Amino acid sequence: MKGHVPTPDDLADHIVEKLFRENPPAAGETILYPGCGKGPFIAAVERYCNTNGHPIPEGVAIELDPEHLTAARERHADLPVEFQERDFLGDVADLGEFEYIVGNPRMFPSKGSMKTRNSGTSSSSIPLSGDSTSTSSSSNSP
Ligand SMILES: C[S@@+](CC[C@H](N)C(=O)[O-])C[C@H]1O[C@@H](n2cnc3c(N)ncnc32)[C@H](O)[C@@H]1O
């Protein structure tokens, strides 16, 4: 699919380390992987949590491309991640809110936003614009 630029494992590790360093995952917390592709960030979260002794957050991974989604689901079948084939720019209100969001979205129009659970913090709302890799957590600035 157009817009698929996989993130190398070492870069995904670096981003996840930044995401969790000052705000490590606790039991019951959740993470959203928008445009998860084949799941490099899911793998990086698993590595980080296993290495540092943290629980793996319960995840929802969203992907439009069914082949990528199948690859991600098969690769991470043992993890607490729900995989959904859907458009993360559509109505995703049913998903609720997440402590963490991490991904490498493609370039898309600058409209819409995703919010983390603690919407009062400065890093809690992620504008869906641009094509850069982004991370957010509920209580620290990455
Ligand atoms: C730049 S790739 C990154 C994939 C993966 N996160 C990574 O870092 O390797 C962007 C991914 O988002 C998916 N995607 C693009 N727009 C999407 C949308 N609106 N809803 C769900 N997935 C989308 C693409 O199919 C692609 O797999």
Side-chain angles (χ1 to χ4, degrees):
M1 167 178 272
K2 204 174 171 184
H4 181 69
V5 181
T7 304
D9 286 348
D10 57 346
L11 179 56
D13 284 337
H14 177 73
I15 291 165
V16 168
E17 150 77 23
K18 243 180 133 176
L19 176 66
F20 288 152
R21 191 171 41 212
E22 293 177 17
N23 191 23
E29 290 192 327
T30 55
I31 186 166
L32 177 65
Y33 303 97
C36 68
K38 296 178 181 174
F41 286 104
I42 301 171
V45 166
E46 180 186 26
R47 282 192 292 275
Y48 183 92
C49 291
N50 288 344
T51 301
N52 295 284
H54 299 303
I56 296 173
E58 290 177 30
V60 176
I62 298 177
E63 174 56 54
L64 271 181
D65 185 314
E67 287 182 21
H68 294 165
L69 192 66
T70 297
R73 184 185 282 118
E74 289 176 354
R75 185 179 173 199
H76 304 293
D78 56 331
L79 297 183
V81 178
E82 181 187 333
F83 294 88
Q84 297 188 9
E85 183 182 331
R86 62 190 286 181
D87 183 350
F88 68 72
L89 297 180
D91 183 357
V92 291
D94 59 294
L95 296 177
E97 296 182 349
F98 297 83
E99 274 77 23
Y100 307 97
I101 302 173
V102 63
N104 171 13
R106 54 165 263 192
M107 187 177 289
F108 37 70
S110 57
K111 60 180 181 181
S113 68
M114 288 184 180
K115 290 185 178 176
T116 54
R117 187 161 288 153
N118 298 323
S119 58
T121 60
S122 60
S123 63
S124 63
S125 181
I126 302 177
L128 295 178
S129 62
D131 64 346
S132 60
T133 299
S134 62
T135 65
S136 176
S137 71
S138 59
S139 60
N140 73 316
S141 299

